[in-house]
Amino acid sequence: MDEKASQQLHKPMPDMGQDSANILQQLDAFKEHDPNYKDGRVWSLVYYLNEDHSDFLKESYHRFACENGLNPTAFKSLKKFETDVISATADILNGTKDVCGVVTSGGTESCLMAVKTYRDMARDKRRVKRPEMIMPESAHVAWFKASEYFGVKIRLVPLLDDLTPNLKKLKRMINRNTVMILGSAPEYPHGTIDPIAAMGEIAQKRKIPLHVDACVGGFILPFMEMNGEEIPLWDYRVPGVTSISADIHKYGYAAKGASTITYRNMDYLRYQMFVYQNWPGGVFASSALLGTRPGGAYAAAWGVLQYFGKAGYRALAKDTLEAVNRLKAGVEEIPELEVMGNPRGPLFAFKSTSPDLNIYAVGDQMDALGWQVNRNQYPSGLHAMVTAQHLKVVDQYLEDLKKSVEIVRANPELAGEGGAATYGMLAHVPLRGMVKKKVLEMYSEQYKAGGGELDMSAEQTNSGTGKGLVDRMLAWWVARETRRGSGG
Ligand SMILES: *Cc1c(COP(=O)(O)O)cnc(C)c1O
């Protein structure tokens, strides 16, 4: 191949356009290898109810698909959606009329904004130059991202046996550089609700803002409580809580691209705002991370809140809780399995208590039976994000889980094969920096123009890293170990 040919892109822009019907057909065809979430086989990523509901979301989305929420005074419709969504959110989070907030594009944006806000507030009010945030080990990865993006150092609070943060250690981590404390309701990896009331007391005494990450719990825990479930206090009723993130595109069953960040009052939110008055394009103000903001996502979020109302969400929460409780009970019935911690919401994880039963091998068997089960590390386990839709597959899931455990019990060598071997190694490679470097290399490969075509047949696993990626990771690790001759 000559120099020029080797530099050519594999996929240049088409020279000529095609007709839209043809393209829509192609779009549908591309779905073929995507996870099939419609029959309750997928336990993360998508919060799906049924086709009627999806059609309603799409209808409301497409009515505003081209509208832009950048400037709240331009499209009054979009500002109304935002105001209504924030008010409804403040209501279910038991806030007062002082609560204020912004609709964002997702949980990550909401979390990023909280870190920026509290960093800037501490800079302004206390001249903090080397900002730090205190958060439990179980905090969502979005907070690690925020720390990196905004240069706020993390002090990581270790967990107790029940997977709640060690509050004695948390207290000792507070210093003059602390700009915020974080708790979750619940945390994603195990579904445990952090002791927010106790954390609120600490935060208030030391005059430090406390953010509650209810990205996943915000649109279900309130309805579980309205249904009479005993849920420890975690919202604005806890005096020390200064802000809460809650995603509508999770248990609000909205279209993707809708979350909320609310604050107890404007004294906090004003540090989230960005204003630049000297831009040649005019005076510019922005309330969160995005410039152009997708009107469709706000319309669908507004629509879904009107559609369900409290009664609808309570019914969904009831079905979800029934599914979770039956799943947890079924897992506990299997002698070698144990639910981790004390999950109270819609998520849980379980681990093996027997050295003879590799939990990742159980996961492989579940995958082979057509489920898509996520893996936890530290400690090793399997994870489930349960929705109302899963109620109809509870019995099948538990039957297959029993079957999977039996297979692994009878074939312990499965722990050294396939995904089990890979996940085991990924979790136990001692040089974490090496893991990071290698994942970065492989992940970057997928973003090359004209190269690195995604293997469409590869199953997706956690965090958007394909299974193909993990397999290559394993190959790399094995080759490395062989070279070193360590035999380990
Ligand atoms: C999902 C989640 C996030 C991040 O939300 P995205 O919408 O995926 O960006 C943050 N925190 C928790 C606890 C979550 O469950």
Side-chain angles (χ1 to χ4, degrees), residues 282-484:
V283 175
F284 183 93
S286 162
S287 56
L289 197 71
L290 300 189
T292 292
R293 297 163 82 205
Y298 300 166
W302 183 87
V304 79
L305 297 186
Q306 313 308 312
Y307 177 74
F308 283 122
K310 284 177 184 152
Y313 281 121
R314 284 179 62 170
L316 290 168
K318 184 170 169 287
D319 284 357
T320 308
L321 190 65
E322 186 188 335
V324 179
N325 284 343
R326 278 170 51 199
L327 285 165
K328 288 195 290 198
V331 165
E332 291 280 353
E333 263 173 34
I334 300 172
E336 297 97 332
L337 297 185
E338 188 180 274
V339 171
M340 294 188 213
N342 180 24
R344 303 286 274 280
L347 314 159
F348 71 100
F350 55 97
K351 63 179 183 185
S352 164
T353 53
S354 159
D356 301 327
L357 186 85
N358 183 289
I359 195 70
Y360 293 142
V362 174
D364 288 348
Q365 294 307 310
M366 289 296 279
D367 284 353
L369 289 168
W371 301 96
Q372 292 210 13
V373 180
N374 273 41
R375 275 74 167 171
N376 273 7
Q377 59 174 356
Y378 311 130
S380 304
L382 300 179
H383 184 267
M385 173 216 93
V386 184
T387 64
Q389 188 223 12
H390 287 118
L391 186 54
K392 63 174 194 275
V393 299
V394 165
D395 292 330
Q396 186 65 51
Y397 181 96
L398 289 172
E399 193 179 303
D400 287 352
L401 184 60
K402 266 185 219 139
K403 221 185 279 173
S404 298
V405 167
E406 269 159 36
I407 293 171
V408 177
R409 207 189 275 143
N411 304 277
E413 73 281 1
L414 288 173
E417 296 171 12
T422 311
Y423 284 108
M425 280 183 190
L426 278 177
H428 294 114
V429 173
L431 303 164
R432 305 313 292 168
M434 286 284 257
V435 173
K436 178 171 177 170
K437 184 163 168 273
K438 214 62 205 170
V439 170
L440 185 62
E441 267 171 36
M442 293 170 176
Y443 207 74
S444 306
E445 236 354 80
Q446 307 205 333
Y447 286 86
K448 276 189 186 163
E453 180 127 341
L454 261 175
D455 177 3
M456 295 292 276
S457 67
E459 272 179 68
Q460 292 295 305
T461 59
N462 294 354
S463 325
T465 56
K467 201 173 206 158
L469 180 85
V470 178
D471 283 346
R472 281 189 285 155
M473 182 91 185
L474 174 66
W476 157 76
W477 174 249
V478 170
R480 182 173 167 276
E481 286 300 285
T482 316
R483 258 197 325 275
R484 287 172 9 142

Side-chain angles (χ1 to χ4, degrees), residues 106-109 111 140 142-143 186-188 213 215-216 247 249-250:
T108 299
E109 189 186 353
C111 300
H140 193 271
W143 297 96
E187 42 96 334
Y188 189 83
D213 183 358
C215 277
V216 74
D247 294 353
H249 67 196
K250 287 182 180 161

Side-chain angles (χ1 to χ4, degrees), residues 31 59 109 149 151 168 172 238 265 350 388 396 446 482:
K31 288 195 172 193
E59 275 294 317
E109 189 186 353
Y149 278 19
K168 271 200 199 117
R172 270 188 252 129
V238 176
N265 60 52
F350 55 97
Q396 186 65 51
Q446 307 205 333
T482 316

